[in-house]
Amino acid sequence: MHLRFSATDEAFRSEFAGWLADNLRGEFEAIKGRGGPGDENAFFDERLAWEKVMGAAGWTCISWPKEWGGRGATLAQQVVYHEEYAKARGPGRVGHIGETLLGPTLIAFGNDDQKQRLLPGIRSGEELWCQGYSEPNAGSDLANVQTRARLEGDEWILDGQKVWTSLAQWSQWSFVICRTDPDVPKHKGLSYLLVPMDQPGVEIRPIAQITGDSEFSETFFDGARTAANNIVGEPGDGWKVANGTLAFERGASTLGQNIEFQNELAEVIHAAQRNGKGDDPAFRQRIADAWIGLEIFRYNALRVLSQAGSDLPPAAMINKIYWASWHRDLGKLAMDVLGMESQVLDDAPYELNALQRLFLFSRSDTIYAGSNQIQRNIIAERALGMPREPR
Ligand SMILES: Cc1cc2nc3c(=O)[nH]c(=O)nc-3n(C[C@H](O)[C@H](O)[C@H](O)COP(=O)(O)OP(=O)(O)OC[C@H]3O[C@@H](n4cnc5c(N)ncnc54)[C@H](O)[C@@H]3O)c2cc1C
């Protein structure tokens, strides 16, 4: 097991850190550390401008192959990139769904026309994407999707409802799983369509969250239209393509989160030092436990990296459940450290501070991108080779 990054990776680190130091300042000073889960409404326009600056300099989509405008960055370089971005307190990226989910899916399953038409907009930050998977009765059981699409002439017509569509209100496009053949077994009748959001047949109703924000929405399709060639793969390939996207969602991007978590833990420690909880043995123990948990996460990420070829090894499968549970527990610790102060809002009507946002939003970490229970099934069946759960 190698626990150090190579000289090439360190050179890559210096190049990106230098670029961030030169560019993430001036008009972008205010957005440092803002945005991202639980804080998506903050400085959205400014973060969109920042996305375009990153795109123009070739610092988005670095894991994509060079022929599609990426840098062909290795897994280790992707981790280094995330580390430097977090160290510089880079703002939450507004284009991450296109960059990490749809882009790799198109590269793997799309045709050349789709790649040429759609990848440049993701890279430049001109076109934002949202994920139209979940429905009221299709979350963990994604194959139960009921949104329907039928081909009429040279267009698909969509009817149905999606829910929890993150960033829908800011997106130009959605990648939608829908049922195109109701007469075959449920996994076989799905297709993966690319649907423009700005049209009369699409209605977006933001959902108010416990954080006070509305980062996700209900999305209604009522005769929504998209061109016949906006299908990834063939009709009926939706299940295969959708699972390809999920593999990207649970893959390399989570390995680079360590520094962001370190920043949050540092805030909790700072709060404990400020209000005297740092002298309390019970709190000292819990803070030490949190630090140890983060170190274990870091070492597992390094172990995964040192074992990884082009695919992630089975040890990567514990990452999601590990970081999600650790982060949720950090939120609880933060509230306990703040004590009565945790009940006080920063400003009217509902202005949360960073630790309050952390607590409230991290409740959802163990649900999205595969709930903890689903992660346990994945680990049991795919990593440990145990019998499949009855379906
Ligand atoms: C912050 C956030 C952002 C999201 N963004 C998006 C988005 O952009 N696009 C999108 O399409 N969706 C999005 N989602 C939805 C997310 O993918 C679903 O919430 C998730 O798949 C779980 O589905 P569900 O909510 O329908 O719960 P259900 O699937 O109904 O699960 C309910 C409970 O039952 C458990 N359970 C279900 N099946 C099993 C099983 N087989 N074995 C054991 N336990 C089981 C689950 O773990 C959970 O505890 C988002 C969710 C959140 C919280």
Side-chain angles (χ1 to χ4, degrees), residues 37 97 101 130-142 162-168 175 209 215-216 246 249-250 361 363-375 377 389-391:
I97 297 178
L101 301 184
C130 60
Q131 180 177 23
Y133 276 30
S134 304
E135 297 184 0
N137 289 311
S140 306
D141 184 12
L142 184 61
K162 297 291 173 180
V163 71
W164 318 126
T165 324
S166 298
L167 308 191
F175 44 101
Q209 293 166 219
E215 301 177 3
F216 47 39
L246 290 177
E249 185 167 24
R250 292 166 190 163
F361 196 85
R363 317 301 298 168
S364 69
D365 287 341
T366 56
I367 301 172
Y368 69 84
S371 68
N372 272 14
Q373 291 77 13
I374 295 299
Q375 295 301 324
N377 286 346
E389 71 160 331
R391 286 181 170 86

Side-chain angles (χ1 to χ4, degrees), residues 257-327:
Q257 280 170 325
N258 216 272
I259 307 269
E260 282 167 45
F261 290 166
Q262 279 177 34
N263 290 344
E264 288 176 343
L265 178 57
E267 271 204 57
V268 174
I269 294 171
H270 178 70
Q273 285 165 338
R274 181 169 51 76
N275 70 9
K277 295 259 175 55
D279 297 326
D280 178 326
F283 277 103
R284 292 171 73 85
Q285 188 69 48
R286 286 179 65 191
I287 290 170
D289 278 347
W291 184 84
I292 290 166
L294 202 47
E295 283 296 286
I296 292 170
F297 179 45
R298 189 166 75 87
Y299 281 113
N300 193 53
L302 290 169
R303 176 175 68 161
V304 165
L305 281 177
S306 65
Q307 292 170 352
S310 52
D311 291 327
L312 291 173
M317 289 183 193
I318 66 170
N319 272 326
K320 168 72 204 335
I321 189 169
Y322 191 88
W323 75 253
S325 307
W326 181 90
H327 202 219

